[in-house]
Amino acid sequence: NIGAEITRFQPLKANYTITAPEAHRTDFHTPPKPSPRPEILRDVRIEGRLRQDGEVIHHTGTATSPAGSVANIDYSNMSASLLSTQNEVKIEKFTANALGGTVEGSGVFLPAAEPPAFEMTTRVRRVNLAEYFTYKVKSLPKFIEGSIDLDLELNGSGKEWEQISPTLNGGGAGAVLQGSLLNVNVANELLNGLQQLPMVDQNSLNNVRNKNPKLFSSNNTFFKDLRGDLRIENGRVQSKGLILRSDDISISGAGWVSFDREKNLTATILLSPQNTQKIINEVSVVKYLANDSGQLEIPISLSGLLVNPSVLLDVDALSKKIQASALDAGVDALKGEVEDQVKDFLKGFGKKKSTAKPDTSQAP
């Protein structure tokens, strides 16, 4: 249904209302690639005003839809307000519930530019990443789960992803809560790296695994939160400060992940004091890799594809650290023993020896 009220023809000024039980996205715009499911906006209501200024017609409007599906994602409670001309579309505010969370945003689109350009600000709260991978990007294997919070500002140009991706530029911050890194157990990879040290017995590390299956036997790395700053440019998502935290392990690092699904990250693992002690109980030399807080502290690098990444330890550097720390400990122990002997000697030095008194008990 369409209702309109024209209050002036020259220059044009009019109000209108459009309602429909459903509207297909292809009625307004033909996407570069078809969606796996029909893109339908249900119970649509659009209200707007048209105003002519010279040769330019300005449009102000709002749109609402309580439910529907766009880009293979189901949504609810969608609303948007916008201002537009034939050369510019400005979304003042967009909100919707989707994937278990909320999405808000604003942006400017320049459809007449060559290529078309855009700027956008996005605020995501508690969106389920598992659902996102399932419904949005089935072609990309899942590598992380959890609920994501994201604040991001982006700009770019192009019509299709192949054109847009190299032009994307922007940044922000994100956090994944109560999640897991899939297909990699960082704690177990840490043990695998320690096995390469010449002074570490493999059977002892296997004992650690067998006694702590919750930490070392899973295929994934579970965490409370994963946070970091984000910078997007040159086809990569970069971060100078990533922090992963759980009760058993924490990781801090920096690096990048490319749109081609590759990554290069350097990080430091900190194992909890309790789990560090469990390893030391089986492999005593590992104590030389613990910091002053009693936590096993190991630098690592992650490379390769997002799925099944490689976790690498600098075995030579760790071996040298153990040898140097053991040598220092030996010197300190020897020094302490000598000092104790000197102290004992000084305590007795100078003391007069007692003269034995003659035994007169048997004198005649």
Side-chain angles (χ1 to χ4, degrees), residues 127-318:
V127 163
N128 189 312
L129 284 173
E131 291 188 38
Y132 178 81
F133 282 107
T134 299
Y135 295 108
K136 179 61 178 174
V137 283
K138 288 186 176 181
S139 60
L140 177 60
K142 289 185 288 188
F143 64 92
I144 189 171
E145 289 183 340
S147 61
I148 186 170
D149 290 352
L150 181 65
D151 291 279
L152 196 61
E153 294 184 0
L154 283 176
N155 62 74
S157 61
K159 293 183 179 180
E160 300 182 12
W161 174 246
E162 289 74 12
Q163 298 173 311
I164 294 173
S165 58
T167 72
L168 278 180
N169 188 70
V176 181
L177 309 175
Q178 301 298 325
S180 59
L181 301 177
L182 305 180
N183 306 310
V184 58
N185 184 323
V186 175
N188 192 51
E189 292 296 326
L190 176 61
L191 288 190
N192 289 338
L194 293 177
Q195 286 181 182
Q196 302 175 47
L197 298 176
M199 63 287 293
V200 172
D201 178 55
Q202 182 172 342
N203 290 330
S204 298
L205 290 181
N206 287 336
N207 290 337
V208 175
R209 286 191 181 90
N210 295 334
K211 292 179 180 179
N212 303 277
K214 179 181 177 182
L215 179 60
F216 297 108
S217 297
S218 173
N219 292 326
N220 307 320
T221 301
F222 301 98
F223 57 83
K224 287 183 175 179
D225 62 342
L226 169 61
R227 300 177 182 273
D229 62 292
L230 301 172
R231 179 67 196 173
I232 299 174
E233 59 185 353
N234 300 322
R236 292 177 176 177
V237 180
Q238 305 174 57
S239 178
K240 294 182 179 180
L242 289 171
I243 299 176
L244 179 150
R245 295 182 297 184
S246 73
D247 292 334
D248 298 312
I249 195 170
S250 65
I251 304 173
S252 59
W256 55 263
V257 176
S258 74
F259 295 151
D260 294 328
R261 309 176 191 177
E262 294 185 349
K263 67 172 171 292
N264 192 321
L265 301 168
T266 57
T268 298
I269 296 178
L270 283 173
L271 207 60
S272 69
Q274 295 83 356
N275 286 304
T276 296
Q277 190 58 50
K278 290 176 182 178
I279 296 178
I280 293 175
N281 290 342
E282 299 290 339
V283 188
S284 61
V285 294
V286 172
K287 65 185 178 183
Y288 298 120
L289 299 178
N291 61 20
D292 294 340
S293 299
Q295 295 176 278
L296 189 59
E297 184 173 351
I298 305 291
I300 64 170
S301 62
L302 291 88
S303 61
L305 298 177
L306 284 173
V307 181
N308 298 320
S310 299
V311 179
L312 303 176
L313 281 66
D314 190 336
V315 175
D316 290 338
L318 295 176

